Amino acid sequence: MTLLVTGGRILRPDHTVERADVRIDTDGDIDAIGDLERTERDQPLDAEGGLVTPGFVNAHGHAAMTLLRGYADDKPLDAWLQEDIWPTEAELGPEDIAAGARLAAVEMIRSGTTAFADMYFHVPELVDVIDEAGLRARVGHGVVTVGKDEAAAEADVQEALDIAAEYDGAADGRVRTAVMPHATHTVDTDSLERLVAGAQERGVPLHFHFNETESYLDPDGTGERPGAYADRLDLLGDSAWAAHGVHLTDEEIDRLADTGTAVVHCPASNMKLASGLAPVERLREAGVTVALGTDGAASNNDLDMFGEMRDAAMVGKLAADDASAVPASAVVEMATQAGADALGLPGGKIAEGEPADLAVVDLSGAHLTPEHDLVSHLAYAARGSDVRHTVCDGKVLLRDGELLTLDPATAKREAEERAREAVERAS
Ligand SMILES: N[C@@H](CCSC[C@H]1O[C@@H](n2cnc3c(=O)[nH]cnc32)[C@H](O)[C@@H]1O)C(=O)O
Ligand SMILES: [Zn+2]
């Protein structure tokens, strides 16, 4: 059967809105857009009164950190990681990661996210959840070598490279991989070099936290800026994407632009951890692809890309001291097309031949009335709870607010139990 998204208005790649139906073929690709007559082969999906948008792309996060939501708040990054997060993560086993990731998948699908990037551990269990949930993702094993002996560091590097090779193309091709050193200052130079070489050999991209706080700014203790250091080690490049990019010199912005490295802005995480104001407007002006990410649920504290769009627009104006900076259309672009570009995944736009990764946003709420400008509504007024349907790779994951691939009650119960037990073990 083909799927026919009927009666809605669609957000075009140029951000115009038009009345149109969308037909999705059995391969999961968008086949036709326009005034389409329903045939007996079409299974209908009612978009009347809704806006059909590209599925949102959450370009940086740690899905299973949903288990640590609200566990440690109101602290700066280093203390938060070292005192609270890392000791508890040390207690998380594969089944915990599966439970946390399943909860994240429920939250993402319900709020219209169809693709995400994930840096964490126990990646095989995450991949199973992505397969079951029907989502699309770019995943990797996060490598940290500081505080580890040589053998443990070596094992972490090897695991990241093995995972990147083994799972690329999993879940019918919806899962792609990357090599993911945690950051330039938490992985030693030798290991970084091995990871870069391994990524190049395997033909997969690199992803890492970059210039998030002041403590990132002298990665190898020589005074060399992380931009120059990362460039020298070949971490930067047009398939790489860097999270945060808060503290950037003009020279580093030029380097990101020249190398084609994308940056994922994580406004809520940056505000919550008081990491600083990312120069989003300057990055965009320099021609850097800027995507949008929630980061983990412990520093956000949700995975709703609508909240992220609104935060990015608001804080982007404050950072630039200019109300016209980071406008509505820019954050919608960041949350869709730029995210797909940064991750090197298909989707991010509603166009013939593209895979059908989309969300239908219900416009009937009082907070979405009147309809002067639907791009403005997406950026400033809509919420994840306004999402009526979510479709990924042509498969309906959420229909009329009901999850079809996962059971939310079970996911919540399991995450609740496993989170409580992990925290008990850690204390
Ligand atoms: N294998 C590593 C785990 C790295 S996964 C990626 C890590 O990033 C951490 N993380 C989450 N959010 C942030 C952030 O904003 N900045 C830096 N690290 C973060 C997260 O808690 C997780 O420990 C180890 O041995 O510890
Ligand atoms: Zn992160």
Side-chain angles (χ1 to χ4, degrees):
M1 290 279 268
T2 48
L3 184 70
L4 189 66
V5 184
T6 61
R9 279 165 288 170
I10 65 167
L11 185 69
R12 284 293 205 172
D14 65 359
H15 289 181
T16 55
V17 172
E18 78 185 71
R19 223 304 302 134
D21 313 302
V22 180
R23 180 172 285 120
I24 298 160
D25 67 24
T26 48
D27 293 334
D29 295 333
I30 297 174
D31 200 33
I33 297 172
D35 233 339
L36 305 176
E37 206 63 54
R38 187 181 155 193
T39 73
E40 61 209 21
R41 293 191 63 234
D42 291 325
Q43 184 204 2
L45 188 67
D46 177 22
E48 187 90 40
L51 177 65
V52 186
T53 72
F56 298 99
V57 181
N58 189 346
H60 174 71
H62 317 274
M65 286 189 88
T66 49
L67 296 180
L68 302 177
R69 187 191 334 255
Y71 166 61
D73 297 314
D74 310 326
K75 279 183 142 181
L77 178 72
D78 289 345
W80 176 77
L81 283 175
Q82 286 162 25
E83 293 165 15
D84 305 294
I85 299 302
W86 285 348
T88 315
E89 285 178 345
E91 298 297 327
L92 298 177
E95 292 304 313
D96 299 316
I97 298 307
R102 212 172 273 122
L103 181 66
V106 167
E107 196 180 344
M108 287 193 276
I109 295 170
R110 278 186 167 160
S111 53
T113 292
T114 52
F116 67 103
D118 207 80
M119 177 201 288
Y120 221 50
F121 41 93
H122 298 310
V123 174
E125 284 71 20
L126 168 72
V127 169
D128 286 346
V129 171
I130 295 167
D131 194 11
E132 177 192 357
L135 287 164
R136 192 185 294 284
R138 180 72 81 169
V139 304
H141 173 84
V143 175
V144 172
T145 63
V146 283
K148 290 184 184 161
D149 62 28
E150 213 175 299
E154 163 65 29
D156 216 21
V157 167
Q158 197 54 51
E159 184 166 0
L161 296 177
D162 291 347
I163 292 277
E166 186 169 345
Y167 290 93
D168 202 29
D172 302 321
R174 285 178 286 108
V175 168
R176 303 298 312 272
T177 59
V179 168
M180 301 192 180
H182 173 264
T184 45
H185 71 301
T186 51
V187 181
D188 65 85
T189 307
D190 282 355
S191 298
L192 280 173
E193 284 174 340
R194 289 197 48 218
L195 291 165
V196 169
Q200 287 170 351
E201 270 164 36
R202 288 159 183 76
V204 302
L206 288 151
H207 178 51
F208 45 90
H209 293 95
F210 188 65
N211 295 28
E212 181 180 4
T213 62
E214 302 276 339
S215 57
Y216 283 57
L217 299 185
D218 184 10
D220 63 347
T222 64
E224 187 180 19
R225 288 282 307 188
Y229 176 69
D231 202 1
R232 187 160 61 76
L233 297 186
D234 258 348
L235 272 166
L236 306 185
D238 59 9
S239 73
W241 80 110
H244 298 293
V246 174
H247 301 276
L248 296 170
T249 62
D250 288 341
E251 200 256 32
E252 285 177 312
I253 293 177
D254 289 343
R255 229 180 248 281
L256 292 166
D258 291 346
T259 55
T261 310
V263 170
V264 186
H265 179 39
C266 302
S269 174
N270 294 162
M271 289 193 280
K272 184 159 183 270
L273 299 167
S275 301
L277 293 164
V280 171
E281 192 71 359
R282 280 164 53 219
L283 283 163
R284 286 173 48 84
E285 277 166 5
V288 175
T289 296
V290 183
L292 208 52
T294 58
D295 211 343
S299 60
N300 189 298
N301 285 2
D302 61 52
L303 305 179
D304 183 340
M305 289 293 287
F306 289 87
E308 226 54 40
M309 286 192 280
R310 181 181 155 109
D311 286 347
M314 299 290 191
V315 79
K317 298 172 198 311
L318 205 56
D321 190 23
D322 175 3
S324 70
V326 197
S329 181
V331 295
V332 171
E333 168 80 13
M334 287 160 68
T336 55
Q337 181 65 62
D341 289 348
L343 270 48
L345 294 176
K349 58 173 176 280
I350 297 178
E352 283 165 26
E354 287 289 322
D357 290 14
L358 51 89
V360 179
V361 181
D362 190 284
L363 296 168
S364 64
H367 62 290
L368 300 176
T369 309
E371 295 180 356
H372 291 305
D373 181 341
L374 296 183
V375 173
S376 162
H377 279 3
L378 284 180
Y380 291 117
R383 308 174 192 126
S385 52
D386 295 313
V387 170
R388 191 196 294 172
H389 314 301
T390 302
V391 175
C392 182
D393 207 24
K395 182 172 174 189
V396 183
L397 311 184
L398 185 85
R399 180 188 282 270
D400 291 315
E402 191 196 335
L403 254 162
L404 303 183
T405 51
L406 298 166
D407 175 29
T410 308
K412 281 198 290 180
R413 194 182 57 245
E414 283 179 3
E416 184 75 53
E417 276 169 22
R418 289 187 171 277
R420 190 167 15 83
E421 286 165 13
V423 166
E424 276 166 15
R425 288 197 298 277
S427 62

